[in-house]
Amino acid sequence: MDDRLALVHILETATSQDPTQVSQAEESLKVLVAKPNFHAMLFDIFADRSISTQIRWMAAITLKNGVDKYWKRSALHPIKREEKDLVRPRLFTMLDESNPLVALQYCLVVSKIARWEFPRVWPDFVEEILTQIRAIASDQTSPAVRRNTMEHNALYILHLFIKKLSARTLALERQALRQATPHIFSVLAPIYVERIAQFHTVIVHNGSKIEGNAVFFEQSYPLLKSIRYCIKVLRRLWVFGYENIENADEVAQSFYMASIGHQAGFFDVFRSLALSSSHVPDDYLLVLRKIVILYGKMYLDFQKYHAVRFITVPCVKQMLQWYWQQISIEGPRLVAPLDDPDSAQEPVLEPLLIQGLELYKNVVKNFFYAANDNGEMDDEVKSCRQVIDGDILTPDFVEKMAELLMYYYIPLKPKDLERWQDDPEGWMADEESDYWNFDVRRCAEHLFVDLVNQKRDQVAPLLSNLFMQPENMESRALSPTEQYYQREGRYAALGLCANDLYDYVDFCQWLKTHHIPDSPMDIAKWRIAWLIGKWVVVKFPVKERPNAYELLLRLVQLNGSLVVQIEALSSLMHCIDDWDFDPEQFAPYLQATFEAIASMLSKVSMPESRMRIVNFLSSIVQRMQREIVPYAESMIQLIPSLWQSAAGENMYQISIMVLVTKLIEALGSQSTNLQSFAAPLVRYSTDLNNAAHVYLFEDGIELWLTLVRNATALDSSTIELLQLLPQLLQYSTETLRKILKVVEGYMLIDGPGVFQHSGPPIIDALHSLVTDNTLAIRATAAGYSTLNIIVQCVPPEISGQAIIDSGILWTAFKFVLEKKEAALALVHHAVFLSRVAVHYPQLFREFILSQTVEAAGIFTQNWVELFDDIGNVAQRRLFALSFAVAIATTNDGVLKALPLMMPLWNDIMSDTGASLVYFSDVDDDMPDDYGEVMVAENARRRKLLSDDPAHKFDIKQVLSDSMKECERLNGADRFHHIIAQVNACDLEDFKNQLN
């Protein structure tokens, strides 16, 4: 008892308005969760109606959360089976809970427990809940209020349970749902029919005078709630409860067939109440609205998951005709005179229109109703096509549908202009979003496009004739409002269906004869800009493009609606992004374009709008290449203010960095003076201590790499970025290769200077990288590739001691010495040692001499044996040169390998090496030249390649000098003794090739 009172007190504290007390209560509840019978005690408190509602509500919420987390056996502190047995038998004892807040939590608790335990632990749940529902429905003795409450709670529990169960994919649960479906239908369908009959009786009893009738609302509201809950359950069972819907039992079939008429009846009641001037309770209209929409949801789900059966069911024509009737009635109500935009009426039920349009869209164009790639149809598809073409989409109906959509649904309305004035940027963002099935006009646009696409031969010629008519012919007998909507509808259709009308309409000719209309509204101007953007990617000859550029720039420069200017700029971007774009043709319009962009940036405020303009700038820079050089300074001046406005907007910041990257690429070697400008962006985006690096890192590295590749020299701001590299080299991500390329880029520009500034920490970081066995071999290869470039670019007197101190030379030596890894991995260590031997011969000889004779001998033998595992010609030559360096020693361990080296030298000198696999000496990651300008780093890499000893040195001369040096160091007698160990044929071949 004491524990129960303590828990009640904690729950009471949790309902406090004091955040401190609430936090303390939450901590106490977390401690109590692990105690036995905690959740059973919560149920006791929740079920005790002598306790205040607030405490009971908090107990129910806590119990619901506990069931979610701990009812599963795999949870951290799972509820014991004994405790579950205390809770489960009492679950249906609270069906008469009347408080809405507490009842909601109670229903959630029961449904969640059933979700975890059905069908394995609690296989009788469905039967038990149906027994409760059946008993409540037949109870004539209990008060009506209590009976209605119990019925609503029981039905809502069943709805929550079926909703979760129908989303399950496990075979056992799907099978359990299918087995339970007929039984649930047999219980709920009669209750559903009975409640509808009772609702009709109430209407008749009130003499059809329901507007403002409080008695009617009071009597019928509980019936509507029961009907709604029944539909919520039955609609999911109809869609998901049958594997083959044609095998559904008669009760289910009857429910679906009758739903068409029921929906129409409920909508008539809703319409009369919604349009009446009498007071109607909001919750009453809401439940009627939800009932009507639920039927539509059932039809859409049925169409989605049983497309063939949806068409072949006998009532489909009746259902679609009813929807089209509502669409036809509501269409004229949507339009308003130009001088009185407020007279346009809102749809009685907009979601109903959207559902109807979407149903027709899925009939007009659906994979399940189309022939296969060979033009063949199976029997099911043929039967569907017969119904669609013969009963639904008849030729007359298709024309009427196209006309209704074009003149009433897809035109922009005068109220759109009001939205432009209130929030032009928000309106544009909504237009470009993908949520078309939440808006009547955009849903109608998608239906219209699919209709023209699927019925092109019938509809396209009709549209073509309308488009090519002179505007003065269409306006003779029409009012200004009718003229506007017909013209706007045709303009919208012309742009939406550009992909299907390109063979029927000469858009360029049409554009010449249909100038920007003189309209008090900006919608027509917006349409012209929008049309150009739609057609330029479909059919717009290159020679006609200047007309489009001039017209769009004129629209951008007009002192009118911001939406018109944004759309004109967007269409101009489509022109530039098009495959047939000609940079030379657009060059005369660059000045006006940049002026328009600068002006637009000062007018827009939303980050999305600014980002769109910045992306447009990036496209211009990328497509125009060197043509933008004269305007680079103006663009650079815009970026600081853009970056400041992008604070906290990561996607916007990325677009700015992409713009700077492309600008540097376009400027090439002239971008060197941009280093002080770009370096802060690089630092901000690649600083691992900055939270924004999670979003900006990759683009920051790309900017850094582009900056270094195009630089001809390094300024202080770029040099200071070097301090970031050691930490970044340990940041093992997909950008590691680019980070290594940044290091290489620095070394290629000024190896000695860069190494003196940050060489040792970079070498240490690279050492950690190549010894990290958690990385792939290619990461080790990339790390050694960077080390090789450092060795090539930095003289030994600057870098030699740092390389020794880092231990990397010893690491590579040890890998080859121990030979514990595969040859594919060992080759990279060996190539690095060969590179050091060739470029730092004195350092390498001293390092080898510091090893024992035995270790040097094993190492040299393993080193030489790796020669056959190298396929790259330059690396093979590098190996041969490094062997020549190695023999200029008195170390017996090294000299013992001379017999192994001799045949390899012979192969290299004769150019008939054992390997027939050859690779390019050019770096695969080397950037392409940008336009006609060579990327500065390309030239540096080519020079590095041409200076590489593997290409530059005469190997015969090197070998001859090395043999002489070996003889000098060891003396003639000892040298001849060493040479005597070489195979006579190999030695003879060697002498012949040297001579």
Side-chain angles (χ1 to χ4, degrees):
M1 190 63 180
D2 292 340
D3 291 342
R4 187 175 187 273
L5 288 175
L7 181 55
V8 169
H9 177 70
I10 293 172
L11 293 171
E12 184 179 12
T13 305
T15 62
S16 170
Q17 300 298 317
D18 184 356
T20 304
Q21 292 187 12
V22 172
S23 178
Q24 292 174 352
E26 289 175 349
E27 293 300 321
S28 299
L29 289 172
K30 289 179 181 178
V31 174
L32 293 174
V33 159
K35 290 194 174 183
N37 296 333
F38 170 72
H39 295 89
M41 199 181 305
L42 284 173
F43 192 90
D44 289 340
I45 297 171
F46 148 67
D48 188 350
R49 299 185 186 181
S50 65
I51 299 176
S52 70
T53 302
Q54 279 289 93
I55 296 176
R56 294 178 61 226
W57 174 69
M58 182 57 66
I61 290 179
T62 308
L63 178 59
K64 178 199 69 175
N65 295 337
V67 169
D68 244 353
K69 293 182 180 179
Y70 308 114
W71 199 273
K72 295 184 295 183
R73 288 179 297 178
S74 58
L76 181 61
H77 299 293
I79 301 173
K80 296 285 196 296
R81 181 176 178 180
E82 295 78 14
E83 187 174 359
K84 293 180 181 179
D85 291 340
L86 293 175
V87 174
R88 194 185 306 109
R90 305 173 58 193
L91 288 176
F92 293 130
T93 61
M94 297 296 297
L95 286 172
D96 60 343
E97 177 58 55
S98 58
N99 184 280
L101 294 176
V102 178
L104 173 62
Q105 300 303 321
Y106 159 68
C107 294
L108 288 169
V109 167
V110 179
S111 65
K112 287 177 182 294
I113 291 175
R115 178 188 70 178
W116 293 125
E117 303 215 330
F118 181 86
R120 295 174 179 83
V121 180
W122 196 0
D124 298 330
F125 170 77
V126 173
E127 181 59 40
E128 291 181 24
I129 190 68
L130 290 179
T131 300
Q132 296 287 338
I133 293 172
R134 193 186 295 111
I136 296 167
S138 59
D139 181 12
Q140 300 299 322
T141 60
S142 299
V145 174
R146 183 175 186 274
R147 188 172 62 249
N148 290 333
T149 298
M150 293 181 69
E151 182 170 277
H152 297 160
N153 288 340
L155 289 172
Y156 188 56
I157 290 170
L158 183 59
H159 152 65
L160 293 172
F161 169 73
I162 294 298
K163 181 179 180 180
K164 290 293 183 183
L165 188 60
S166 61
R168 296 295 186 91
T169 56
L170 294 178
L172 177 64
E173 291 163 335
R174 300 294 272 178
Q175 184 63 26
L177 176 64
R178 290 168 184 156
Q179 289 175 352
T181 293
H183 187 29
I184 300 175
F185 256 111
S186 68
V187 175
L188 255 63
I191 296 175
Y192 163 77
V193 173
E194 183 181 352
R195 298 294 175 264
I196 288 181
Q198 291 173 350
F199 179 73
H200 184 262
T201 301
V202 173
I203 292 178
V204 173
H205 179 72
N206 286 274
S208 299
K209 296 179 180 179
I210 58 177
E211 294 88 350
N213 189 335
V215 175
F216 166 75
F217 297 143
E218 183 180 353
Q219 292 175 344
S220 59
Y221 183 69
L223 298 174
L224 290 177
K225 287 189 70 174
S226 293
I227 292 168
R228 176 180 167 235
Y229 288 139
C230 286
I231 298 172
K232 288 171 82 72
V233 175
L234 296 177
R235 78 175 185 90
R236 281 196 167 84
L237 294 177
W238 172 252
V239 175
F240 301 107
Y242 296 97
E243 186 172 5
N244 297 309
I245 199 73
E246 57 272 13
N247 298 332
D249 54 86
E250 186 177 349
V251 177
Q253 301 268 9
S254 300
F255 161 75
Y256 184 76
M257 299 294 182
S259 65
I260 315 300
H262 294 158
Q263 183 188 31
F266 284 118
F267 180 69
D268 290 340
V269 175
F270 176 82
R271 176 194 285 272
S272 64
L273 292 176
L275 298 178
S276 71
S277 56
S278 304
H279 173 70
V280 181
D282 291 339
D283 55 351
Y284 194 90
L285 276 179
L286 181 62
V287 72
L288 269 174
R289 171 192 174 95
K290 289 181 176 180
I291 288 173
V292 175
I293 298 305
L294 277 173
Y295 286 113
K297 289 182 177 180
M298 177 174 66
Y299 303 146
L300 286 169
D301 284 344
F302 186 35
Q303 188 182 49
K304 179 179 179 180
Y305 294 102
H306 304 277
V308 173
R309 183 59 180 161
F310 173 82
I311 291 296
T312 56
V313 75
C315 62
V316 64
K317 182 179 178 182
Q318 176 191 353
M319 181 257 291
L320 289 174
Q321 283 179 340
W322 181 81
Y323 269 104
W324 187 251
Q325 181 183 1
Q326 309 314 314
I327 292 171
S328 301
I329 292 171
E330 293 293 330
R333 299 178 71 250
L334 301 176
V335 301
L338 298 177
D339 55 355
D340 187 16
D342 293 331
S343 64
Q345 303 177 50
E346 294 295 327
V348 174
L349 190 56
E350 184 172 347
L352 180 75
L353 299 180
I354 294 175
Q355 288 177 341
L357 294 168
E358 197 168 351
L359 284 168
Y360 270 102
K361 179 185 181 300
N362 295 334
V363 170
V364 169
K365 186 175 182 179
N366 197 312
F367 168 81
F368 293 99
Y369 311 145
N372 59 26
D373 294 339
N374 298 324
E376 301 173 350
M377 299 184 186
D378 57 25
D379 293 339
E380 285 187 341
V381 175
K382 287 180 181 178
S383 63
C384 290
R385 291 292 352 152
Q386 186 176 357
V387 173
I388 293 171
D389 296 333
D391 297 333
I392 301 175
L393 299 179
T394 61
D396 289 342
F397 178 75
V398 168
E399 292 185 18
K400 291 178 182 177
M401 177 184 281
E403 183 178 351
L404 182 72
L405 295 175
M406 186 165 60
Y407 292 144
Y408 291 109
Y409 279 91
I410 64 176
L412 293 176
K413 313 300 188 295
K415 282 200 170 183
D416 284 302
L417 188 57
E418 294 182 0
R419 289 186 60 198
W420 291 3
Q421 296 169 348
D422 295 337
D423 185 15
E425 296 176 63
W427 187 87
M428 285 294 295
D430 290 342
E431 283 295 296
E432 296 181 359
S433 68
D434 293 330
Y435 303 113
W436 57 268
N437 50 351
F438 292 95
D439 180 75
V440 170
R441 176 174 60 83
R442 297 184 63 196
C443 192
E445 289 176 351
H446 280 74
L447 170 58
F448 187 81
V449 170
D450 287 346
L451 183 68
V452 175
N453 179 262
Q454 297 299 306
K455 302 291 182 180
R456 183 187 306 171
D457 294 340
Q458 178 188 352
V459 181
L462 300 176
L463 295 178
S464 175
N465 292 334
L466 287 174
F467 298 147
M468 301 313 293
Q469 287 179 3
E471 290 193 1
N472 57 0
M473 290 182 60
E474 69 188 35
S475 60
R476 291 174 181 172
L478 300 176
S479 67
T481 297
E482 291 173 323
Q483 291 178 37
Y484 164 74
Y485 281 110
Q486 290 204 8
R487 181 179 60 208
E488 164 62 11
R490 285 199 287 271
Y491 284 15
L494 180 60
L496 290 170
C497 304
N499 287 318
D500 295 300
L501 296 174
Y502 61 88
D503 284 337
Y504 298 88
V505 177
D506 185 349
F507 178 74
C508 291
Q509 183 61 34
W510 181 92
L511 189 62
K512 292 176 181 177
T513 57
H514 291 69
H515 299 292
I516 301 176
D518 247 351
S519 172
M521 302 168 67
D522 287 325
I523 291 178
K525 300 173 185 177
W526 176 86
R527 270 295 179 207
I528 291 294
W530 176 80
L531 277 168
I532 294 174
K534 292 293 183 182
W535 274 89
V536 75
V537 297
V538 175
K539 184 181 179 182
F540 210 115
V542 175
K543 64 180 180 181
E544 302 287 348
R545 297 289 174 94
N547 296 331
Y549 302 150
E550 292 173 4
L551 183 53
L552 291 173
L553 287 171
R554 178 184 164 195
L555 288 171
V556 175
Q557 294 162 355
L558 288 176
N559 293 322
S561 170
L562 183 60
V563 171
V564 176
Q565 297 173 322
I566 294 175
E567 188 61 48
L569 209 59
S570 178
S571 294
L572 195 60
M573 182 171 67
H574 290 313
C575 295
I576 291 173
D577 281 340
D578 185 56
W579 180 265
D580 294 328
F581 175 73
D582 183 359
E584 293 183 4
Q585 190 184 54
F586 186 73
Y589 305 98
L590 263 179
Q591 179 67 38
T593 301
F594 282 122
E595 291 175 358
I597 290 173
S599 174
M600 286 297 298
L601 284 171
S602 65
K603 295 177 181 179
V604 298
S605 57
M606 285 180 58
E608 292 83 358
S609 303
R610 287 175 163 263
M611 185 168 65
R612 187 183 300 113
I613 296 174
V614 170
N615 290 337
F616 178 36
L617 265 176
S618 298
S619 297
I620 293 178
V621 172
Q622 185 174 19
R623 299 305 299 270
M624 296 304 296
Q625 302 178 12
R626 296 290 296 169
E627 297 288 343
I628 60 95
V629 172
Y631 311 98
E633 188 63 33
S634 301
M635 293 175 63
I636 293 168
Q637 292 175 1
L638 292 174
I639 292 174
S641 60
L642 290 176
W643 186 261
Q644 186 176 3
S645 68
E649 298 288 341
N650 301 123
M651 296 304 295
Y652 184 14
Q653 290 175 329
I654 288 173
S655 67
I656 294 173
M657 288 196 295
V658 170
L659 169 60
V660 177
T661 302
K662 293 187 181 299
L663 184 60
I664 291 172
E665 287 178 344
L667 293 175
S669 59
Q670 296 182 33
S671 66
T672 300
N673 57 0
L674 291 183
Q675 292 182 29
S676 59
F677 172 78
L681 300 182
V682 173
R683 178 178 292 278
Y684 178 83
S685 57
T686 59
D687 185 355
L688 301 183
N689 297 319
N690 178 14
H693 87 274
V694 175
Y695 309 98
L696 310 178
F697 187 80
E698 292 186 15
D699 295 279
I701 293 297
E702 186 66 36
L703 172 58
W704 196 356
L705 180 58
T706 303
L707 184 68
V708 172
R709 279 177 166 171
N710 289 276
T712 56
L714 298 173
D715 70 4
S716 58
S717 61
T718 312
I719 289 288
E720 289 303 316
L721 293 176
L722 284 167
Q723 60 185 330
L724 298 175
L725 284 173
Q727 185 181 10
L728 296 181
L729 287 169
Q730 301 172 18
Y731 190 61
S732 302
T733 66
E734 295 178 355
T735 56
L736 177 60
R737 180 173 175 81
K738 289 186 177 180
I739 297 171
L740 291 169
K741 292 298 177 184
V742 170
V743 177
E744 294 175 13
Y746 271 99
M747 295 298 171
L748 288 167
I749 296 173
D750 181 14
V754 169
F755 199 92
Q756 287 175 337
H757 185 279
S758 300
I762 290 176
I763 293 292
D764 290 339
L766 290 171
H767 184 199
S768 300
L769 173 66
V770 298
T771 55
D772 188 346
N773 55 16
T774 64
L775 298 178
I777 293 177
R778 60 182 180 179
T780 303
Y784 270 125
S785 176
T786 302
L787 283 166
N788 289 335
I789 287 189
I790 293 175
V791 171
Q792 288 177 270
C793 295
V794 184
E797 56 270 19
I798 295 177
S799 63
Q801 190 58 47
I803 290 176
I804 292 293
D805 294 343
S806 69
I808 193 168
L809 207 59
W810 165 250
T811 297
F813 177 86
K814 184 179 179 182
F815 271 107
V816 177
L817 175 69
E818 295 179 350
K819 205 175 182 180
K820 292 181 179 180
E821 296 188 0
L824 183 64
L826 291 175
V827 160
H828 304 299
H829 303 284
V831 168
F832 170 67
L833 290 169
S834 297
R835 180 64 67 183
V836 172
V838 172
H839 288 269
Y840 300 173
Q842 186 60 35
L843 183 148
F844 181 78
R845 292 190 187 105
E846 290 175 358
F847 176 77
I848 294 297
L849 285 173
S850 68
Q851 312 302 322
T852 65
V853 173
E854 181 183 4
I858 297 173
F859 161 76
T860 308
Q861 181 175 347
N862 294 344
W863 185 28
V864 174
E865 288 175 352
L866 286 171
F867 181 86
D868 288 334
D869 294 297
I870 298 175
N872 185 290
V873 176
Q875 290 181 352
R876 291 169 68 86
R877 290 175 60 85
L878 182 69
F879 256 56
L881 289 172
S882 64
F883 296 158
V885 172
I887 64 168
T889 182
T890 59
N891 190 302
D892 288 339
V894 174
L895 295 175
K896 283 181 181 179
L898 187 60
L900 298 176
M901 298 178 184
M902 196 69 71
L904 305 184
W905 286 330
N906 291 336
D907 283 346
I908 291 295
M909 287 190 290
S910 61
D911 290 328
T912 57
S915 172
L916 297 180
V917 182
Y918 296 95
F919 296 90
S920 170
D921 290 333
V922 179
D923 182 5
D924 293 335
D925 197 49
M926 188 181 291
D928 296 329
D929 290 346
Y930 196 84
E932 299 178 356
V933 181
M934 178 179 289
V935 177
E937 184 168 309
N938 288 11
R940 291 193 286 267
R941 285 188 179 271
R942 290 190 177 98
K943 185 177 187 305
L944 185 73
L945 201 63
S946 64
D947 292 341
D948 190 342
H951 296 281
K952 187 176 182 180
F953 289 2
D954 181 353
I955 193 167
K956 294 182 180 180
Q957 185 62 47
V958 172
L959 287 171
S960 177
D961 294 343
S962 295
M963 296 299 286
K964 291 177 181 178
E965 180 66 13
C966 181
E967 183 177 4
R968 186 187 69 79
L969 292 172
N970 291 279
D973 293 340
R974 187 163 184 259
F975 177 74
H976 290 301
H977 176 72
I978 296 170
I979 288 295
Q981 307 302 316
V982 178
N983 180 276
C985 294
D986 290 336
L987 182 59
E988 184 66 23
D989 189 13
F990 180 77
K991 291 179 179 179
N992 290 336
Q993 294 204 59
L994 285 182
N995 295 326

